[in-house]
mmCIF file with all atom_site columns, all heavy atoms in Angstrom:
data_model
loop_
_atom_site.group_PDB
_atom_site.id
_atom_site.type_symbol
_atom_site.label_atom_id
_atom_site.label_alt_id
_atom_site.label_comp_id
_atom_site.label_asym_id
_atom_site.label_entity_id
_atom_site.label_seq_id
_atom_site.pdbx_PDB_ins_code
_atom_site.Cartn_x
_atom_site.Cartn_y
_atom_site.Cartn_z
_atom_site.occupancy
_atom_site.B_iso_or_equiv
_atom_site.pdbx_formal_charge
_atom_site.auth_seq_id
_atom_site.auth_comp_id
_atom_site.auth_asym_id
_atom_site.auth_atom_id
_atom_site.pdbx_PDB_model_num
ATOM 1   N N   . GLY A 1 556 ? -5.533 119.476 -73.772 1.00 0.00 ? 556 GLY A N   1
ATOM 2   C CA  . GLY A 1 556 ? -4.828 118.653 -74.597 1.00 0.00 ? 556 GLY A CA  1
ATOM 3   C C   . GLY A 1 556 ? -4.760 117.267 -73.886 1.00 0.00 ? 556 GLY A C   1
ATOM 4   O O   . GLY A 1 556 ? -5.302 117.023 -72.927 1.00 0.00 ? 556 GLY A O   1
ATOM 5   N N   . GLU A 1 557 ? -4.040 116.399 -74.631 1.00 0.00 ? 557 GLU A N   1
ATOM 6   C CA  . GLU A 1 557 ? -3.840 114.983 -74.212 1.00 0.00 ? 557 GLU A CA  1
ATOM 7   C C   . GLU A 1 557 ? -2.568 115.008 -73.210 1.00 0.00 ? 557 GLU A C   1
ATOM 8   O O   . GLU A 1 557 ? -1.577 115.499 -73.517 1.00 0.00 ? 557 GLU A O   1
ATOM 9   C CB  . GLU A 1 557 ? -3.587 114.019 -75.304 1.00 0.00 ? 557 GLU A CB  1
ATOM 10  C CG  . GLU A 1 557 ? -3.442 112.592 -75.023 1.00 0.00 ? 557 GLU A CG  1
ATOM 11  C CD  . GLU A 1 557 ? -3.202 111.715 -76.256 1.00 0.00 ? 557 GLU A CD  1
ATOM 12  O OE1 . GLU A 1 557 ? -2.097 111.603 -76.622 1.00 0.00 ? 557 GLU A OE1 1
ATOM 13  O OE2 . GLU A 1 557 ? -4.275 111.200 -76.676 1.00 0.00 ? 557 GLU A OE2 1
ATOM 14  N N   . ILE A 1 558 ? -2.834 114.267 -72.041 1.00 0.00 ? 558 ILE A N   1
ATOM 15  C CA  . ILE A 1 558 ? -1.650 114.159 -71.021 1.00 0.00 ? 558 ILE A CA  1
ATOM 16  C C   . ILE A 1 558 ? -1.102 112.680 -71.260 1.00 0.00 ? 558 ILE A C   1
ATOM 17  O O   . ILE A 1 558 ? -2.033 111.710 -71.043 1.00 0.00 ? 558 ILE A O   1
ATOM 18  C CB  . ILE A 1 558 ? -2.169 114.466 -69.658 1.00 0.00 ? 558 ILE A CB  1
ATOM 19  C CG1 . ILE A 1 558 ? -2.820 115.861 -69.505 1.00 0.00 ? 558 ILE A CG1 1
ATOM 20  C CG2 . ILE A 1 558 ? -1.061 114.205 -68.783 1.00 0.00 ? 558 ILE A CG2 1
ATOM 21  C CD1 . ILE A 1 558 ? -1.779 116.963 -69.896 1.00 0.00 ? 558 ILE A CD1 1
ATOM 22  N N   . LYS A 1 559 ? 0.147  112.463 -71.449 1.00 0.00 ? 559 LYS A N   1
ATOM 23  C CA  . LYS A 1 559 ? 0.661  111.141 -71.549 1.00 0.00 ? 559 LYS A CA  1
ATOM 24  C C   . LYS A 1 559 ? 1.292  110.803 -70.188 1.00 0.00 ? 559 LYS A C   1
ATOM 25  O O   . LYS A 1 559 ? 2.057  111.556 -69.612 1.00 0.00 ? 559 LYS A O   1
ATOM 26  C CB  . LYS A 1 559 ? 1.695  111.168 -72.673 1.00 0.00 ? 559 LYS A CB  1
ATOM 27  C CG  . LYS A 1 559 ? 1.129  111.520 -74.009 1.00 0.00 ? 559 LYS A CG  1
ATOM 28  C CD  . LYS A 1 559 ? 2.273  111.584 -75.084 1.00 0.00 ? 559 LYS A CD  1
ATOM 29  C CE  . LYS A 1 559 ? 1.657  111.954 -76.512 1.00 0.00 ? 559 LYS A CE  1
ATOM 30  N NZ  . LYS A 1 559 ? 2.799  112.035 -77.468 1.00 0.00 ? 559 LYS A NZ  1
ATOM 31  N N   . LEU A 1 560 ? 1.087  109.549 -69.821 1.00 0.00 ? 560 LEU A N   1
ATOM 32  C CA  . LEU A 1 560 ? 1.736  109.003 -68.610 1.00 0.00 ? 560 LEU A CA  1
ATOM 33  C C   . LEU A 1 560 ? 2.448  107.717 -69.012 1.00 0.00 ? 560 LEU A C   1
ATOM 34  O O   . LEU A 1 560 ? 1.944  106.894 -69.596 1.00 0.00 ? 560 LEU A O   1
ATOM 35  C CB  . LEU A 1 560 ? 0.612  108.644 -67.499 1.00 0.00 ? 560 LEU A CB  1
ATOM 36  C CG  . LEU A 1 560 ? -0.240 109.859 -67.071 1.00 0.00 ? 560 LEU A CG  1
ATOM 37  C CD1 . LEU A 1 560 ? -1.459 109.921 -67.907 1.00 0.00 ? 560 LEU A CD1 1
ATOM 38  C CD2 . LEU A 1 560 ? -0.615 109.607 -65.615 1.00 0.00 ? 560 LEU A CD2 1
ATOM 39  N N   . GLY A 1 561 ? 3.701  107.568 -68.522 1.00 0.00 ? 561 GLY A N   1
ATOM 40  C CA  . GLY A 1 561 ? 4.571  106.504 -68.686 1.00 0.00 ? 561 GLY A CA  1
ATOM 41  C C   . GLY A 1 561 ? 5.869  106.434 -68.087 1.00 0.00 ? 561 GLY A C   1
ATOM 42  O O   . GLY A 1 561 ? 6.298  107.448 -67.570 1.00 0.00 ? 561 GLY A O   1
ATOM 43  N N   . ARG A 1 562 ? 6.604  105.294 -68.245 1.00 0.00 ? 562 ARG A N   1
ATOM 44  C CA  . ARG A 1 562 ? 7.905  105.190 -67.553 1.00 0.00 ? 562 ARG A CA  1
ATOM 45  C C   . ARG A 1 562 ? 8.931  106.028 -68.066 1.00 0.00 ? 562 ARG A C   1
ATOM 46  O O   . ARG A 1 562 ? 9.920  106.601 -67.443 1.00 0.00 ? 562 ARG A O   1
ATOM 47  C CB  . ARG A 1 562 ? 8.229  103.646 -67.551 1.00 0.00 ? 562 ARG A CB  1
ATOM 48  C CG  . ARG A 1 562 ? 9.509  103.342 -66.613 1.00 0.00 ? 562 ARG A CG  1
ATOM 49  C CD  . ARG A 1 562 ? 9.710  101.808 -66.624 1.00 0.00 ? 562 ARG A CD  1
ATOM 50  N NE  . ARG A 1 562 ? 10.270 101.476 -67.883 1.00 0.00 ? 562 ARG A NE  1
ATOM 51  C CZ  . ARG A 1 562 ? 9.722  100.611 -68.687 1.00 0.00 ? 562 ARG A CZ  1
ATOM 52  N NH1 . ARG A 1 562 ? 8.482  100.060 -68.443 1.00 0.00 ? 562 ARG A NH1 1
ATOM 53  N NH2 . ARG A 1 562 ? 10.192 100.293 -69.886 1.00 0.00 ? 562 ARG A NH2 1
ATOM 54  N N   . LYS A 1 563 ? 9.002  106.185 -69.515 1.00 0.00 ? 563 LYS A N   1
ATOM 55  C CA  . LYS A 1 563 ? 10.051 106.952 -70.107 1.00 0.00 ? 563 LYS A CA  1
ATOM 56  C C   . LYS A 1 563 ? 9.839  108.426 -69.995 1.00 0.00 ? 563 LYS A C   1
ATOM 57  O O   . LYS A 1 563 ? 8.904  108.911 -70.543 1.00 0.00 ? 563 LYS A O   1
ATOM 58  C CB  . LYS A 1 563 ? 10.166 106.569 -71.628 1.00 0.00 ? 563 LYS A CB  1
ATOM 59  C CG  . LYS A 1 563 ? 11.452 106.896 -72.224 1.00 0.00 ? 563 LYS A CG  1
ATOM 60  C CD  . LYS A 1 563 ? 11.859 106.252 -73.403 1.00 0.00 ? 563 LYS A CD  1
ATOM 61  C CE  . LYS A 1 563 ? 13.165 106.584 -73.914 1.00 0.00 ? 563 LYS A CE  1
ATOM 62  N NZ  . LYS A 1 563 ? 13.491 105.949 -75.284 1.00 0.00 ? 563 LYS A NZ  1
ATOM 63  N N   . ARG A 1 564 ? 10.765 109.118 -69.333 1.00 0.00 ? 564 ARG A N   1
ATOM 64  C CA  . ARG A 1 564 ? 10.480 110.568 -69.016 1.00 0.00 ? 564 ARG A CA  1
ATOM 65  C C   . ARG A 1 564 ? 10.314 111.409 -70.155 1.00 0.00 ? 564 ARG A C   1
ATOM 66  O O   . ARG A 1 564 ? 9.452  112.260 -70.236 1.00 0.00 ? 564 ARG A O   1
ATOM 67  C CB  . ARG A 1 564 ? 11.573 110.981 -68.123 1.00 0.00 ? 564 ARG A CB  1
ATOM 68  C CG  . ARG A 1 564 ? 11.485 112.486 -67.527 1.00 0.00 ? 564 ARG A CG  1
ATOM 69  C CD  . ARG A 1 564 ? 12.714 112.902 -66.719 1.00 0.00 ? 564 ARG A CD  1
ATOM 70  N NE  . ARG A 1 564 ? 12.763 112.158 -65.471 1.00 0.00 ? 564 ARG A NE  1
ATOM 71  C CZ  . ARG A 1 564 ? 12.203 112.413 -64.429 1.00 0.00 ? 564 ARG A CZ  1
ATOM 72  N NH1 . ARG A 1 564 ? 11.497 113.513 -64.259 1.00 0.00 ? 564 ARG A NH1 1
ATOM 73  N NH2 . ARG A 1 564 ? 12.342 111.727 -63.435 1.00 0.00 ? 564 ARG A NH2 1
ATOM 74  N N   . ASP A 1 565 ? 11.251 111.280 -71.175 1.00 0.00 ? 565 ASP A N   1
ATOM 75  C CA  . ASP A 1 565 ? 11.273 112.175 -72.344 1.00 0.00 ? 565 ASP A CA  1
ATOM 76  C C   . ASP A 1 565 ? 10.169 111.947 -73.353 1.00 0.00 ? 565 ASP A C   1
ATOM 77  O O   . ASP A 1 565 ? 10.068 112.689 -74.238 1.00 0.00 ? 565 ASP A O   1
ATOM 78  C CB  . ASP A 1 565 ? 12.573 112.106 -73.121 1.00 0.00 ? 565 ASP A CB  1
ATOM 79  C CG  . ASP A 1 565 ? 12.982 110.708 -73.625 1.00 0.00 ? 565 ASP A CG  1
ATOM 80  O OD1 . ASP A 1 565 ? 12.129 109.864 -73.290 1.00 0.00 ? 565 ASP A OD1 1
ATOM 81  O OD2 . ASP A 1 565 ? 13.886 110.583 -74.263 1.00 0.00 ? 565 ASP A OD2 1
ATOM 82  N N   . GLU A 1 566 ? 9.312  110.910 -73.119 1.00 0.00 ? 566 GLU A N   1
ATOM 83  C CA  . GLU A 1 566 ? 8.279  110.682 -74.030 1.00 0.00 ? 566 GLU A CA  1
ATOM 84  C C   . GLU A 1 566 ? 6.781  110.972 -73.484 1.00 0.00 ? 566 GLU A C   1
ATOM 85  O O   . GLU A 1 566 ? 5.852  110.855 -74.104 1.00 0.00 ? 566 GLU A O   1
ATOM 86  C CB  . GLU A 1 566 ? 8.148  109.182 -74.491 1.00 0.00 ? 566 GLU A CB  1
ATOM 87  C CG  . GLU A 1 566 ? 9.392  108.771 -75.371 1.00 0.00 ? 566 GLU A CG  1
ATOM 88  C CD  . GLU A 1 566 ? 9.286  107.425 -75.878 1.00 0.00 ? 566 GLU A CD  1
ATOM 89  O OE1 . GLU A 1 566 ? 8.363  106.724 -75.489 1.00 0.00 ? 566 GLU A OE1 1
ATOM 90  O OE2 . GLU A 1 566 ? 10.276 107.013 -76.573 1.00 0.00 ? 566 GLU A OE2 1
ATOM 91  N N   . ASN A 1 567 ? 6.788  111.302 -72.097 1.00 0.00 ? 567 ASN A N   1
ATOM 92  C CA  . ASN A 1 567 ? 5.584  111.382 -71.398 1.00 0.00 ? 567 ASN A CA  1
ATOM 93  C C   . ASN A 1 567 ? 5.566  112.671 -70.686 1.00 0.00 ? 567 ASN A C   1
ATOM 94  O O   . ASN A 1 567 ? 6.514  113.379 -70.236 1.00 0.00 ? 567 ASN A O   1
ATOM 95  C CB  . ASN A 1 567 ? 5.340  110.241 -70.413 1.00 0.00 ? 567 ASN A CB  1
ATOM 96  C CG  . ASN A 1 567 ? 5.308  108.938 -71.122 1.00 0.00 ? 567 ASN A CG  1
ATOM 97  O OD1 . ASN A 1 567 ? 4.208  108.630 -71.607 1.00 0.00 ? 567 ASN A OD1 1
ATOM 98  N ND2 . ASN A 1 567 ? 6.398  108.182 -71.206 1.00 0.00 ? 567 ASN A ND2 1
ATOM 99  N N   . ASP A 1 568 ? 4.299  113.228 -70.408 1.00 0.00 ? 568 ASP A N   1
ATOM 100 C CA  . ASP A 1 568 ? 4.123  114.390 -69.583 1.00 0.00 ? 568 ASP A CA  1
ATOM 101 C C   . ASP A 1 568 ? 4.281  114.185 -68.103 1.00 0.00 ? 568 ASP A C   1
ATOM 102 O O   . ASP A 1 568 ? 4.666  115.006 -67.356 1.00 0.00 ? 568 ASP A O   1
ATOM 103 C CB  . ASP A 1 568 ? 2.720  115.010 -69.807 1.00 0.00 ? 568 ASP A CB  1
ATOM 104 C CG  . ASP A 1 568 ? 2.545  115.372 -71.337 1.00 0.00 ? 568 ASP A CG  1
ATOM 105 O OD1 . ASP A 1 568 ? 3.308  116.081 -71.983 1.00 0.00 ? 568 ASP A OD1 1
ATOM 106 O OD2 . ASP A 1 568 ? 1.664  114.861 -71.988 1.00 0.00 ? 568 ASP A OD2 1
#
Side-chain angles (χ1 to χ4, degrees):
E557 182 178 84
I558 304 299
K559 301 176 182 177
L560 301 91
R562 189 178 68 247
K563 194 165 184 181
R564 183 182 296 271
D565 58 356
E566 293 181 0
N567 295 278
D568 300 303

